[in-house]
């Protein structure tokens, strides 16, 4: 039988005191996701910068269990587009997720397979509910790390391939000092897949 357990988030970074899995995502693992391909290649030629890190607590990946983890997205831009996560649908599409903002400023960009999209602000103390079926990507629009806690069904799984192939419909960019949500010119619908 499992026993209850607890964890502390150690600030100022927000890193959990205990975790089982550490994921580090560098610029090279986001190839094709940033809109400005030239800016991407130039940046990568200089350094394979760390874009974000995830600290996860493992549990059996079966219905009834929950997974949770802290994501930390570093500040920066590729061209005029803010650093962001790869983004994904859950492989078990009918699974939801809750994000709780711990640190920093950002946006959660969401979209449905049918084409609807949404954007929610991320900031400390803010709870964002991601209903089943919505793909989600987190974007750091601030000057410091963006950290948040995520809680989701342990059987959710991750479908990264769909987003890698078609991209998100919306990008979060800086234009004339303003944070803007704009159309992704490289986005294509699922039926246009190569
Ligand atoms: C998992 C949850 C988060 C992300 C993390 C990194 O369902 O949404 O823990 O995994 O923020 O993003 P990504 O898109 O690389 O998994
Ligand atoms: Zn998720």
């Amino acid at each position: 039988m499992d026993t209850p357990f607890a964890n502390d988030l150690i600030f100022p970074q927000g890193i959990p005191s205990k975790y089982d899995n550490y994921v580090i995502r560098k610029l090279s693992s986001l190839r094709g996701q940033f809109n400005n391909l030239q800016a991407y290649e130039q940046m990568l030629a200089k350094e394979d910068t760390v874009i974000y890190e995830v600290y996860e607590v493992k549990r059996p990946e079966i219905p009834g269990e929950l997974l949770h983890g802290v994501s930390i997205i570093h500040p920066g831009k590729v061209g005029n587009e803010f650093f962001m996560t790869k983004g994904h649908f859950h492989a078990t599409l009918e699974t939801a997720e809750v994000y709780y903002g711990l640190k920093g400023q950002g946006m959660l960009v969401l979209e449905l397979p049918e084409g609807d999209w949404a954007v929610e602000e991320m900031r400390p103390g803010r709870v964002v509910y991601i209903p089943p079926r919505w793909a989600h990507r987190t974007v750091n629009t601030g000057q410091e790390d963006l950290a948040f806690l995520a809680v989701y069904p342990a059987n959710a799984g991750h479908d990264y391939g769909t987003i890698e192939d078609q991209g998100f419909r919306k990008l979060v960019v800086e234009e004339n000092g303003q944070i803007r949500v704009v159309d992704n010119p490289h986005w294509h619908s699922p039926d246009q897949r190569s």
Side-chain angles (χ1 to χ4, degrees):
M1 203 206 321
D2 291 314
T3 50
F5 61 93
N7 208 343
D8 292 295
L9 303 183
I10 312 295
F11 287 94
Q13 288 92 350
I15 296 171
S17 55
K18 282 178 278 178
Y19 54 88
D20 306 301
N21 196 33
Y22 170 67
V23 180
I24 182 165
R25 294 274 186 228
K26 296 185 176 181
L27 189 60
S28 55
S29 66
L30 283 121
R31 179 172 290 281
Q33 292 304 302
F34 289 100
N35 183 45
N36 186 332
L37 304 176
Q38 195 185 352
Y40 174 87
E41 294 300 346
Q42 277 175 2
M43 199 167 172
L44 188 58
K46 280 195 204 132
E47 191 187 340
D48 195 5
T49 309
V50 176
I51 308 292
Y52 63 100
E53 299 165 83
V54 189
Y55 299 83
E56 297 172 332
V57 177
K58 274 200 192 293
R59 294 295 303 162
E61 295 182 7
I62 54 174
E65 289 278 357
L66 294 172
L67 294 177
H68 70 281
V70 170
S71 301
I72 300 176
I73 306 161
H74 300 299
K77 280 179 287 181
V78 177
N80 68 349
E81 192 176 0
F82 294 103
F83 282 5
M84 61 192 186
T85 58
K86 286 165 77 81
H88 57 270
F89 287 96
H90 287 165
T92 305
L93 200 56
E94 302 293 338
T95 49
E97 181 153 8
V98 171
Y99 280 7
Y100 178 65
L102 302 169
K103 182 183 176 178
Q105 304 290 323
M107 300 249 202
L108 182 59
V109 181
L110 304 121
E111 70 181 47
L112 282 171
E114 293 77 16
D116 309 52
W117 62 274
V119 175
E120 291 290 341
E121 191 188 339
M122 297 282 291
R123 53 182 148 81
R126 193 162 174 84
V127 179
V128 184
Y129 186 78
I130 304 167
R133 312 187 83 250
W134 286 84
H136 38 287
R137 161 180 282 165
T138 320
V139 182
N140 184 347
T141 57
Q143 310 288 324
E144 60 169 341
D145 284 350
L146 171 68
F148 61 92
L149 176 76
V151 184
Y152 54 104
N155 62 327
H158 295 96
D159 163 16
Y160 291 106
T162 304
I163 295 299
E164 279 169 5
D165 182 48
Q166 72 193 40
F168 269 77
R169 286 161 190 267
K170 296 289 170 179
L171 310 176
V172 184
V173 300
E174 187 173 72
E175 275 179 9
N176 305 320
Q178 306 279 325
I179 298 161
R180 298 183 65 103
V181 178
V182 300
D183 285 340
N184 176 3
H186 288 126
W187 182 83
H188 65 85
S189 66
D191 53 8
Q192 293 170 313
R193 269 182 213 179
S194 51

